[in-house]
Amino acid sequence: MNYAAAMVVRVGVLAVILLLPACGTVNITSTRDAPAATAHPKQTQVNDLLMQVFVHCRELRMFRSDTGYEQLQIDVANDDFRQRNLAWRIDWLDAKGNVIESPMSVWKSCSIAAGGMATLSSVAPSRDGVDFRLQVRRSD
Amino acid sequence: MKPFNSLAATMSAAGLFSLWGCGTPARPIETGGTESITSIDDVDMQDINKAASGMLESLLVQGTLSGGKNKPAQLVIGTIVNDTSSRFDVGEMTYRMREQLVNSGQAAVVTTYGNNPEDATAQDAAKREAFLKGQTSVPGVDPDFSLTGKITQVKREAGNVRQATYTFRLTLTNLRTGLEAWTKVVDVTKQGTKNAIGF
C-alpha cells in the first residue's frame, strides 16, 4: 500500500514537472494552411541557420512591392518551452552578388515567446536588390 | 612554517596585482552591432539604427516621395522633438535616413528653406543671388514634403525590473496640400534590472 501510494506521488510529481514548462507557451492557429504564393525555396537554407539558435523557419516569402522594391518576410517559430531572443541582420545583394551597402542593413533584435512565432521582415534598399544574406545570433 | 607564510603572502600579493590588471581594454566594435551596450534608461545606437531602418523601409515600400512634383522630391527636414529623458541628437536618425534617400535619388533635401533653415549662409547667398537677378523667390527651391516627428518614452517598473518603451514617430506632410502623406511609428522596448553589454 505504501509502495502504491509512493508510486502515485511520484507519477503526480513527474506529471507536474512535465506540464510546468508548457505554462505560458503560445498556441497558434491560422486560417491558412497552404504555403503562400510567394513562398521561396530558400526556406531550407534559412532553417539550417535558425536551428542553431533553437528556432526554425516556418516560411520564407519574397515579393516585389508596387514601388519595385524586393520585400522579404521570414516566419520564425520557437518550439522551445522558453522565450528565445535573437539578433538578426539582413544584407541585400544585387544580381551580380555584390552587397548593397545601406543604413537599412543593421542588427535588430527579436524576442519570440515559447511556442510563438515572429516575422523577420526587410525591404531591399534599392531596386537592384534581388538576393539577401541573413545573419542570426542567439541573444539568450 | 615561516617560509610557507612568506610564500603564501607573496602569492596573495601577486594574485591581487594580477586582479588589478584585469579589465576590458578599449577596442573598436561594430556601431550598433551585437556587442553594443544595451541601456534601459537611454536610447542606444542600435535603437536609432532600428528606427531609421524601419522608417526607410516604410517610405520605400509606400513610394510616397515619388508622388512629389519634383523628381527627386524636394524634402525639408522640420523639427523632430526628442521628448525622452535620454540625451541624444535626433540627427543621428535623420542623417541616416537622408543618406539613403539622397544618395539613392529618392529625395533632395532642401537646406535653405523657411525661417529656421539648416544652412542660413546658403539661404542668404541664394536670396542675394535671386535679388540681384530681380527674382522674387529663390529659383529651384520648391519643396514637396516636410518631415517632422517626435520621440517619446513610457517607463514602468515592477520590483527591481525596469522597462522602457521608446517610440519614434515621423510624419511626412505634402506641402502643396498641407495633408499628411505618410506616417510611421517604430517602437523599441527594453526590460531589465541593469544595463548590459550585447544584445
Side-chain angles (χ1 to χ4, degrees):
Chain A
M1 191 64 184
N2 281 345
Y3 176 76
M7 276 304 288
V8 168
V9 169
R10 279 176 193 160
V11 169
V13 167
L14 188 65
V16 168
I17 288 170
L18 287 175
L19 286 171
L20 265 179
C23 293
T25 56
V26 173
N27 300 311
I28 302 174
T29 184
S30 171
T31 54
R32 187 180 183 99
D33 50 9
T38 51
H40 205 276
K42 281 180 182 164
Q43 181 180 334
T44 315
Q45 284 171 260
V46 172
N47 204 21
D48 289 343
L49 176 70
L50 289 173
M51 288 298 272
Q52 293 166 25
V53 283
F54 305 109
V55 293
H56 78 267
C57 175
R58 278 273 169 84
E59 190 168 84
L60 186 155
R61 297 177 293 275
M62 271 180 94
F63 52 97
R64 215 162 255 278
S65 70
D66 294 340
T67 49
Y69 293 89
E70 201 72 42
Q71 281 184 266
L72 168 68
Q73 293 178 348
I74 304 171
D75 288 341
V76 177
N78 175 13
D79 290 338
D80 203 345
F81 286 121
R82 65 188 182 104
Q83 187 100 9
R84 286 287 179 187
N85 300 306
L86 52 100
W88 60 281
R89 175 189 169 123
I90 286 168
D91 291 288
W92 284 87
L93 314 172
D94 64 17
K96 292 177 183 170
N98 299 319
V99 173
I100 303 170
E101 287 194 26
S102 161
M104 294 165 70
S105 295
V106 294
W107 281 98
K108 295 177 182 177
S109 56
C110 176
S111 181
I112 315 173
M117 253 173 77
T119 302
L120 314 182
S121 59
S122 179
V123 176
S126 88
R127 292 184 177 93
D128 296 333
V130 289
D131 277 309
F132 70 90
R133 186 175 67 193
L134 171 68
Q135 295 178 71
V136 180
R137 181 180 180 271
R138 208 176 110 194
S139 302
D140 50 8
Chain B
M1 283 302 281
K2 268 192 177 177
F4 177 76
N5 283 345
S6 172
L7 180 67
T10 308
M11 284 182 70
S12 302
L16 279 173
F17 276 114
S18 65
L19 272 178
W20 187 285
C22 285
T24 310
R27 64 194 167 92
I29 61 163
E30 182 189 1
T31 306
T34 53
E35 291 180 298
S36 305
I37 289 174
T38 302
S39 326
I40 303 161
D41 296 320
D42 275 308
V43 172
D44 296 314
M45 208 60 226
Q46 59 269 28
D47 307 333
I48 292 168
N49 283 349
K50 182 189 172 188
S53 174
M55 298 293 176
L56 283 166
E57 286 184 352
S58 173
L59 262 177
L60 295 185
V61 168
Q62 297 300 321
T64 312
L65 287 168
S66 59
K69 186 181 115 187
N70 297 296
K71 299 285 182 262
Q74 290 191 12
L75 177 66
V76 178
I77 308 283
T79 308
I80 297 166
V81 179
N82 173 12
D83 201 13
T84 70
S85 57
S86 178
R87 191 169 175 272
F88 68 99
D89 190 337
V90 291
E92 295 291 348
M93 178 177 66
T94 53
Y95 264 88
R96 279 165 174 77
M97 294 179 65
R98 281 168 76 158
E99 179 190 342
Q100 176 66 32
L101 295 175
V102 174
N103 294 354
S104 67
Q106 289 278 314
V109 174
V110 183
T111 57
T112 56
Y113 186 78
N115 294 326
N116 190 22
E118 261 190 272
D119 191 337
T121 309
Q123 188 188 47
D124 286 346
K127 278 183 178 173
R128 181 176 174 276
E129 191 69 18
F131 175 76
L132 291 174
K133 287 180 180 170
Q135 294 162 331
T136 53
S137 63
V138 177
V141 175
D142 183 22
D144 298 295
F145 299 99
S146 76
L147 185 72
T148 53
K150 197 173 190 181
I151 305 159
T152 56
Q153 69 182 18
V154 175
K155 288 190 173 181
R156 295 292 181 264
E157 285 182 18
N160 62 347
V161 178
R162 305 199 305 280
Q163 178 180 294
T165 297
Y166 298 99
T167 303
F168 298 75
R169 58 195 86 192
L170 289 183
T171 292
L172 206 60
T173 304
N174 186 327
L175 292 176
R176 302 185 197 289
T177 62
L179 300 175
E180 187 175 61
W182 168 87
T183 192
K184 173 75 179 166
V185 171
V186 176
D187 287 324
V188 175
T189 300
K190 297 182 279 189
Q191 190 186 75
T193 54
K194 60 180 182 180
N195 295 349
I197 296 173
F199 68 93

